[in-house]
Amino acid sequence: MSEKDDDKVRLDKWLWAARFYKTRALAKAAIEGGKVHHRGERCKPGKEPKVGDEYVLRTGFDERTVVVLALSAVRRGAPEAQLLYRETDESIARRQQAAAMRKAGALGVQTDGRPSKKQRRQIHQFNEQQEGGLRHPWADEDE
């Protein structure tokens, strides 16, 4: 592609070329799902990013704020893709802090629904320490 063609590139194609998403379809789905914002508003996949635009991207647990430095519709290696954008310092600090909190387990215990055997023992032990122990709601009042 020539430099003139790179002036007009779709947002989903640029996000794919900058290696934020593995496929263009995933980039388009993320944009349509409201995970990409520009100036506080949701974007459309056909939006044309311009040099200097700032986008907020949400991928998994992380939220990045990136500034467009160059446009490209061609996906290349990671070192070249990183030249297309610059992540803001505040964004890097927020992501590192969130990762540290996740690593420390400060976001709470995530379970699959049922407690494990160890967790059940801890629940029973806790309930026994409380007054009267555990009372099941389906137990008869006469017992």
Side-chain angles (χ1 to χ4, degrees), residues 122-141:
Q122 290 172 339
I123 291 168
H124 289 302
Q125 183 181 11
F126 175 78
N127 286 329
E128 287 172 6
Q129 290 174 355
Q130 302 300 315
E131 289 183 55
L134 177 63
R135 181 109 180 115
H136 295 288
W138 58 86
D140 291 339
E141 296 288 330

Side-chain angles (χ1 to χ4, degrees), residues 34-73:
K35 299 197 184 321
V36 179
H37 292 247
H38 176 61
R39 295 186 186 157
E41 295 182 9
R42 290 171 62 159
C43 301
K44 292 185 177 180
K47 178 175 176 38
E48 294 177 2
K50 295 180 178 35
V51 175
D53 283 355
E54 189 172 287
Y55 290 94
V56 178
L57 313 169
R58 182 146 182 82
T59 53
F61 291 117
D62 295 331
E63 187 174 279
R64 306 171 177 243
T65 303
V66 297
V67 178
V68 178
L69 297 179
L71 299 175
S72 176

Side-chain angles (χ1 to χ4, degrees), residues 80-97:
E80 292 177 48
Q82 289 174 348
L83 299 175
L84 298 178
Y85 65 92
R86 177 182 57 82
E87 187 172 2
T88 62
D89 295 333
E90 300 86 31
S91 173
I92 294 169
R94 271 196 323 263
R95 279 192 314 113
Q96 289 174 345
Q97 183 181 14

Side-chain angles (χ1 to χ4, degrees), residues 96-107:
Q96 289 174 345
Q97 183 181 14
M101 287 178 67
R102 277 196 308 272
K103 189 173 182 182
L107 296 179

